[in-house]
Amino acid sequence: MKNKAVTINQINGIDQYYDESWNCHSIYFYDPLGNIVEFIARHAIPGIEHGDFNSQDIKNISEIGLPVEDVQQASEILQKKYNVGVYKSSNNVFAPLGNEEGLFILSGLNRN
């Protein structure tokens, strides 16, 4: 299989995004089918090496994005069915459920 380069998406002209409240760095790009992919460096997880990134640094699937019509309703269903709580905070267009080791990211259909 031939390696293909990806174009890193920019947010406000920056290709690497730091989120202070989640203590992580992220980059975003599109996969060949047009899905948004996010690589996340979660700094609070112990045992993660710091240095140049390579394929050995990919540890797990940290987040699964689920676009839904009703974020609140979907959040309540998943919390009850899978006994997960809201990570950080949520609102009517965005709800992260789980923890730093794995999150369902509920996103309203009209959220950018």
Side-chain angles (χ1 to χ4, degrees):
M1 180 179 207
K2 186 177 178 181
N3 290 336
K4 293 186 179 184
V6 298
T7 301
I8 304 300
N9 298 356
Q10 293 191 343
I11 300 171
N12 299 323
I14 300 169
D15 61 4
Q16 186 181 116
Y17 177 74
Y18 178 71
D19 188 312
E20 187 174 332
S21 67
W22 288 36
N23 190 25
C24 67
H25 278 89
S26 300
I27 61 169
Y28 300 87
F29 58 93
Y30 290 100
D31 73 9
L33 297 176
N35 299 298
I36 297 173
V37 177
E38 176 184 15
F39 273 2
I40 305 169
R42 296 198 181 276
H43 303 301
I45 296 177
I48 302 296
E49 299 294 323
H50 299 283
D52 291 342
F53 176 82
N54 66 52
S55 62
Q56 299 300 310
D57 294 317
I58 300 172
K59 304 298 182 195
N60 60 16
I61 296 174
S62 180
E63 299 178 358
I64 299 290
L66 302 169
V68 297
E69 287 186 25
D70 187 327
V71 170
Q72 183 65 34
Q73 179 183 35
S75 176
E76 290 171 4
I77 291 169
L78 290 172
Q79 287 182 64
K80 185 175 183 179
K81 183 169 177 104
Y82 295 107
N83 195 31
V84 294
V86 173
Y87 177 74
K88 302 289 182 179
S89 63
S90 67
N91 56 47
N92 63 344
V93 294
F94 179 81
L97 304 176
N99 60 40
E100 289 186 348
E101 296 287 332
L103 293 164
F104 291 120
I105 302 293
L106 304 179
S107 177
L109 298 179
N110 294 324
R111 181 175 177 263
N112 183 7

